[in-house]
């Protein structure tokens, strides 16, 4: 047997691997648009707050947090309408995008799990929050035992769940990390009071000493929403660049 005959199976296997990788990249190459759309939705919600970046002298915070984060909003009805119209519109846009890609490329993604998760948790939020509006506490720092879970009634959690579902559909660790990041920030910021509260054990670690009473970051809602959206923007940019590279190869 000649050396050429011995090399041929290896070349065939290498070509098959290349085709599989190319098909996988093309199949999941469209994830950049729904990821970027979620980022745009998060960034657009900055406009719901009265002072998204400035430091106020006084705050009136209503519960549930329909703007997303526990801070003073422009109007509760505006915040409610933003998320309960914007989230379904986002999912409808993603559905149209995936349908178009399936017709054009013949490659399908399990995007309905993304739609079901986002809309399902949003509906659950509406049911759980169907209670009289109350004012957030203004006492000591930290989460009171009876405040943590009610504080999680925020439309940011349905967004985080939707991103995690999209990560499952797209088989994307990057999207999964972005979804977990949004969820962790939402749980921390909405489950404690006031915004940006740091428990004593965190300030002890950061300050290198023990016995502190906790603290608070000086960041405002706009800063936190930018931090939430940043991983999604980076993911979208990387995915577009990778897809173009495979397409041009």
């Amino acid at each position: 047997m000649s050396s050429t005959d011995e090399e041929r199976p290896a070349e065939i296997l290498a070509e098959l691997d290349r085709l599989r990788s190319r098909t996988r990249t093309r199949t999941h190459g469209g994830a950049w648009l729904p990821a970027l759309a979620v980022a745009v939705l998060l960034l657009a919600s900055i406009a719901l707050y009265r002072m998204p970046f400035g430091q106020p002298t006084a705050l009136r915070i209503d519960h549930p947090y329909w703007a997303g984060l526990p801070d003073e909003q422009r109007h509760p009805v505006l915040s409610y309408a933003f998320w309960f119209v914007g989230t379904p519109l986002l999912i409808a846009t993603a559905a149209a995008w995936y349908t178009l890609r399936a017709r054009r490329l013949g490659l399908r993604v399990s995007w309905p799990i993304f739609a079901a998760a986002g809309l399902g948790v949003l509906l659950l939020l509406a049911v759980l929050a169907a209670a009289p509006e109350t004012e957030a506490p203004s006492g000591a720092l930290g989460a009171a035992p009876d405040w943590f879970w009610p504080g999680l009634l925020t439309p940011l959690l349905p967004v985080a769940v939707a991103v995690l579902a999209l990560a499952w559909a797209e088989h994307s660790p990057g999207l999964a990390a972005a979804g977990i990041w949004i969820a962790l920030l939402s749980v921390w910021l909405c489950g404690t009071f006031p915004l940006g509260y740091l428990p004593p054990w965190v300030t002890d670690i950061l300050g290198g000493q023990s016995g502190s009473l906790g603290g608070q970051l000086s960041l405002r809602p706009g800063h936190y929403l930018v931090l939430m959206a940043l991983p999604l923007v980076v993911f979208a940019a990387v995915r577009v660049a990778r897809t173009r590279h495979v397409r041009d190869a």
Side-chain angles (χ1 to χ4, degrees), residues 148-163:
F148 182 82
W149 292 114
L152 299 186
L153 296 179
T154 166
L156 291 173
L157 283 183
V159 172
V161 172
V163 173

Side-chain angles (χ1 to χ4, degrees), residues 200-224:
W201 65 269
V202 174
T203 55
D204 289 346
I205 294 175
L206 295 177
Q209 58 185 2
S210 60
S212 67
L213 298 177
Q216 181 185 2
L217 295 181
S218 60
L219 300 180
R220 300 289 295 135
H223 301 118
Y224 289 116

Side-chain angles (χ1 to χ4, degrees), residues 134-148:
T134 58
E135 190 168 334
S138 57
L141 291 174
D146 60 345
W147 184 252
F148 182 82

Side-chain angles (χ1 to χ4, degrees), residues 117-197:
L119 294 178
V121 179
L122 188 67
L123 179 61
L124 179 61
L125 170 66
V127 172
L128 293 177
E133 185 181 87
T134 58
E135 190 168 334
S138 57
L141 291 174
D146 60 345
W147 184 252
F148 182 82
W149 292 114
L152 299 186
L153 296 179
T154 166
L156 291 173
L157 283 183
V159 172
V161 172
V163 173
L164 289 172
L166 182 64
W168 183 88
E170 293 283 1
H171 306 289
S172 171
L175 279 176
I180 293 172
W181 172 245
I182 296 171
L184 288 177
L185 281 180
S186 300
V187 169
W188 167 46
L189 295 171
C190 297
T192 58
F193 187 86
L195 187 69
Y197 168 74

Side-chain angles (χ1 to χ4, degrees), residues 47-50 60 62-68 71-86 133 155:
L48 299 176
Y49 302 90
R50 287 194 180 276
R60 182 186 184 278
D62 297 321
H63 178 264
Y65 306 137
W66 288 126
D71 203 85
E72 188 167 1
Q73 57 191 336
R74 295 183 184 277
H75 198 282
V77 175
L78 175 63
S79 301
Y80 187 93
F82 175 87
W83 291 107
F84 280 85
V85 173
E133 185 181 87

